[in-house]
């Protein structure tokens, strides 16, 4: 079954140079997006309570008084 899936993927995506190139480009875009969002998530978790969006409510109320 795994070999049938691999054969189907090869015939659909990698057999022709044009579809191979498009597959690589689309995969790179999705990987970049996933990597960027993952990095942002890790950064925000490591800096929780230190970023402006987490503490701005402390300062916005003081400006109004």
């Amino acid at each position: 079954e795994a070999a049938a899936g691999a054969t189907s993927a090869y015939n659909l995506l990698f057999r022709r140079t044009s579809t191979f190139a498009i597959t690589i480009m689309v995969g790179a875009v999705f990987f970049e997006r996933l990597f960027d969002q993952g990095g942002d998530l890790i950064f925000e978790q490591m800096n929780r309570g230190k970023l402006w969006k987490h503490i701005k409510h402390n300062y916005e109320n003081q400006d109004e008084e």
Side-chain angles (χ1 to χ4, degrees):
E1 290 180 18
T7 303
S8 296
Y10 172 77
N11 286 333
L12 182 65
L13 302 173
F14 301 118
R15 187 170 178 148
R16 293 175 43 193
T17 304
S18 58
T19 57
F20 178 75
I22 291 170
T23 301
I24 296 300
M25 286 186 266
V26 170
V29 169
F30 280 115
F31 176 78
E32 185 273 334
R33 183 88 170 145
L34 180 69
F35 192 82
D36 187 46
Q37 288 182 348
D40 287 345
L41 183 68
I42 292 169
F43 178 82
E44 288 188 17
Q45 289 295 328
M46 291 178 72
N47 292 293
R48 181 155 300 283
K50 301 175 190 172
L51 300 175
W52 176 247
K53 65 181 173 181
H54 300 145
I55 64 170
K56 70 179 177 181
H57 64 276
N58 295 334
Y59 299 99
E60 287 178 335
N61 294 338
Q62 290 178 359
D63 290 341
E64 294 173 0
E65 296 174 1

